[in-house]
Amino acid sequence: MPRIIVFTKIKAEISVVFNLSRSIELHLISSKENNEKVIGGRRNGLIKLGETVTWRAKHLGIYQNLTSKIIGCETDAYFADEMISGAFKSFKHEHYFFKRSKETFQVDILEYESPFGVLGRLVDFLFLKNYMTRFLKRRNRAIKEYAESEKWKEIIKINKSII
């Protein structure tokens, strides 16, 4: 089972990074090149524990639907989503957040299992793991860009519970 770990250092408050990471709108911005859309479940705002979202996107030339559910959440520290239906045999994405000095560190751990046994493992080895790593890094660049500027305010409504 492939395991991808991505570390991202962001000069912003941990609550801003945490909430951007849960934002449906930010996810859509970061995945424009895949023509990603929400077709079910939570359609906007910040996804919460127990909620689902269904995405439709073009990956590797094929439109796919993936429904994930938030299975764990600890404010400003952690959340995890897990695929409940989609192209993968299994798919779990954990997001960890911690603060050091004036920087927030986001650690993404993505574990997935491709279908089709040996053929799926060959696809992982040849290109899928690299493709998924690039996808995560592109998403995190968008989070970093918005968090380190005032652009995050376009995504997250300012209120005392978020900042």
Side-chain angles (χ1 to χ4, degrees):
M1 177 182 307
R3 184 176 209 213
I4 300 168
I5 302 173
V6 175
F7 295 89
T8 308
K9 181 169 59 169
I10 303 171
K11 294 178 183 175
E13 290 299 317
I14 197 167
S15 61
V16 170
V17 177
F18 177 77
N19 286 317
L20 284 173
S21 295
R22 296 184 306 128
S23 167
I24 301 294
E25 291 80 6
L26 192 280
H27 184 86
L28 291 170
I29 289 167
S30 72
S31 61
K32 278 183 191 174
E33 73 182 50
N34 300 97
N35 198 26
E36 195 141 351
K37 307 242 183 296
V38 178
I39 62 168
R42 179 77 183 217
R43 294 183 178 271
N44 55 41
L46 305 177
I47 196 160
K48 298 175 179 75
L49 183 64
E51 292 183 328
T52 64
V53 61
T54 301
W55 308 99
R56 178 167 178 75
K58 191 174 190 177
H59 291 283
L60 304 170
I62 302 167
Y63 275 97
Q64 302 173 36
N65 296 344
L66 179 122
T67 301
S68 61
K69 181 177 183 175
I70 303 300
I71 59 166
C73 189
E74 185 179 326
T75 302
D76 295 346
Y78 168 83
F79 78 95
D81 56 273
E82 189 169 63
M83 181 193 76
I84 56 176
S85 70
F88 291 92
K89 190 171 180 181
S90 67
F91 186 100
K92 183 178 181 182
H93 184 185
E94 295 179 287
H95 314 252
Y96 294 89
F97 307 86
F98 60 95
K99 189 88 171 155
R100 290 281 193 274
S101 196
K102 294 183 180 187
E103 296 173 320
T104 296
F105 291 83
Q106 178 175 325
V107 180
D108 290 271
I109 301 173
L110 175 62
E111 294 180 315
Y112 67 91
E113 187 174 355
S114 296
F116 310 121
V118 174
L119 180 61
R121 288 192 293 280
L122 179 62
V123 168
D124 290 337
F125 175 76
L126 292 176
F127 62 86
L128 187 57
K129 185 174 181 182
N130 287 333
Y131 177 85
M132 296 302 294
T133 301
R134 286 191 309 275
F135 184 83
L136 280 178
K137 287 181 176 181
R138 184 177 65 226
R139 181 176 181 277
N140 287 356
R141 278 192 304 273
I143 292 168
K144 181 178 176 72
E145 175 188 339
Y146 275 73
E148 290 183 347
S149 69
E150 295 296 304
K151 291 170 74 173
W152 66 267
K153 293 177 183 177
E154 299 169 15
I155 303 295
I156 300 172
K157 300 223 185 313
I158 301 172
N159 68 53
K160 293 179 184 174
S161 68
I162 293 176
I163 301 177

